[in-house]
């Protein structure tokens, strides 16, 4: 499956754009899977899982599967189970899997390691030219989507992003991020967005970048599973006395936390 990540700040129109992109992909006959990640409450742990409410147009379409997932406190804009969910949808025969992240800030870039193509959505009025050249989420975009492009300031936002792209050093044949204007609420610009996805997909295949990205994705998934298992083993120590004893020595000043961590790893055989 072609895995497409959609990310951006809250309110830029990720769910609406996803909904319209599903419509465009279905018109081509593609089977589409959607994973919409919602934030979970830091107090109750619950989540509204409301992104799919905006995608009711496709609720009865047998060629579309929409799944909301809670982030469950996982940082980076995704859920810890998202890579496995993508794998399930691929196995179920989806041609395209759209992964919509939690509304993110400047540093939540995990979706770039999961997706073949990453869309970063922006909206007019969300910052000046300085904001456009800051490191972070803007660096992971394969395609920039300036949504709500019918608003004042859209031209300035496009210029700022294009200026940012022009500052980057690229060798011969390297991908140059595309900038697409959309008004997702009216379905405008979605065909241009789909064309940009096709263009990037062609570039990935032509330059063998698709294989490299997928191998990197598999490595990240294996590493995350291994680290999760290690955290579970460390967590189980809270039921015993080892961690408590080390914590008491650190709090008392007789042991530094690095040495304590080394002791803990030694007890785990790591």
């Amino acid at each position: 499956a072609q895995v497409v990540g959609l990310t951006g700040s809250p309110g830029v129109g990720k769910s609406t754009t996803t909904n319209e992109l599903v419509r465009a992909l279905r018109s081509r006959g593609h089977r589409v899977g959607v994973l919409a990640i919602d934030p979970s409450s830091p107090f109750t742990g619950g989540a509204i899982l409301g992104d799919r409410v905006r995608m009711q147009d496709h609720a009865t379409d047998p060629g579309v599967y929409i799944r909301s997932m809670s982030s469950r406190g996982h940082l980076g804009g995704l859920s810890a189970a998202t890579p496995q969910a993508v794998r399930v949808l691929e196995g179920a025969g989806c041609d395209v899997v759209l992964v919509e992240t939690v509304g993110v800030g400047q540093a939540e870039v995990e979706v770039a390691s999961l997706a073949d193509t990453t869309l970063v959505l922006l909206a007019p009025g969300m910052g000046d030219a300085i904001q456009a050249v800051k490191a972070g989420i803007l660096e992971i975009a394969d395609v920039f989507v300036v949504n709500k492009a019918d608003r004042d300031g859209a031209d300035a936002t496009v210029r700022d992003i294009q200026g940012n792209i022009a500052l980057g050093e690229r060798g011969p044949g390297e991908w140059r991020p595309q900038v697409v204007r959309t008004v997702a609420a009216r379905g405008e610009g979605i065909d241009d967005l789909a064309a940009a996805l096709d263009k990037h997909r062609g570039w990935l295949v032509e330059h063998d970048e698709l294989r490299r990205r997928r191998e990197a994705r598999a490595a990240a998934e294996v590493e995350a599973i291994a680290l999760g298992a290690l955290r579970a083993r460390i967590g189980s120590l809270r039921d015993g006395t080892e961690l408590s004893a080390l914590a008491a020595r650190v709090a008392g000043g007789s042991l530094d936390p690095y040495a304590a961590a080394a002791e803990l790893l030694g007890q785990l055989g790591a």
Side-chain angles (χ1 to χ4, degrees):
Q2 180 182 7
V3 182
V4 179
L6 297 93
T7 190
S9 301
V12 295
K14 293 187 298 298
S15 295
T16 306
T17 301
T18 300
N19 186 65
E20 293 303 315
L21 199 51
V22 169
R23 194 188 311 281
L25 293 168
R26 287 295 292 146
S27 69
R28 300 179 177 188
H30 295 314
R31 296 187 67 189
V32 183
V34 178
L35 296 174
I37 317 302
D38 260 15
S40 53
S41 168
F43 302 106
T44 67
I48 294 177
L49 302 179
D51 285 339
R52 58 186 171 183
V53 173
R54 300 188 180 98
M55 304 179 201
Q56 290 299 305
D57 297 348
H58 311 290
T60 59
D61 186 343
V64 179
Y65 179 81
I66 301 171
R67 170 74 178 183
S68 285
M69 303 179 70
S70 169
S71 65
R72 296 188 178 183
H74 185 78
L75 301 178
L78 300 176
S79 165
T82 304
Q84 288 74 42
V86 169
R87 196 174 294 280
V88 169
L89 292 181
E90 286 181 321
C94 289
D95 302 305
V96 183
V97 178
L98 304 177
V99 181
E100 179 194 333
T101 72
V102 170
V104 298
Q106 290 179 326
E108 288 87 351
V109 297
E110 188 175 343
V111 68
S113 64
L114 177 70
D116 301 325
T117 302
T118 302
L119 310 182
V120 173
L121 276 72
L122 306 165
M126 299 197 69
D128 56 12
I130 299 300
Q131 196 69 35
V133 298
K134 283 188 176 181
I137 190 172
L138 294 180
E139 291 187 293
I140 68 172
D142 297 307
V143 179
F144 288 99
V145 182
V146 179
N147 192 33
K148 306 181 182 180
D150 55 340
R151 293 185 176 181
D152 292 340
D155 291 341
T157 301
V158 171
R159 283 197 304 271
D160 290 342
I161 294 302
Q162 289 175 334
N164 181 26
I165 293 171
L167 290 174
E169 295 184 5
R170 293 176 181 82
E174 287 190 40
W175 175 253
R176 180 184 176 88
Q178 307 285 293
V179 183
V180 179
R181 299 171 185 245
T182 63
V183 184
R186 298 203 298 258
E188 297 175 8
I190 301 301
D191 289 339
D192 294 336
L193 177 55
L197 290 176
D198 290 340
K199 185 175 181 180
H200 186 248
R201 173 79 171 189
W203 179 85
L204 289 171
V205 173
E206 180 183 351
H207 291 80
D208 199 32
E209 182 70 9
L210 186 61
R211 177 194 59 79
R212 189 198 68 78
R213 289 193 181 194
R214 292 191 168 181
E215 287 182 358
R217 187 163 84 207
E221 187 175 352
V222 171
E223 181 182 15
I225 292 171
L227 287 173
L230 183 59
R231 287 192 189 99
R233 291 175 63 187
I234 292 175
S236 68
L237 294 179
R238 291 182 180 272
D239 299 330
T241 60
E242 297 91 344
L243 186 56
S244 297
L246 289 171
R249 291 169 62 192
V250 171
S254 62
L255 185 68
D256 69 85
Y258 291 95
E263 277 193 41
L264 186 62
L265 291 173
Q267 293 172 16
L268 291 171

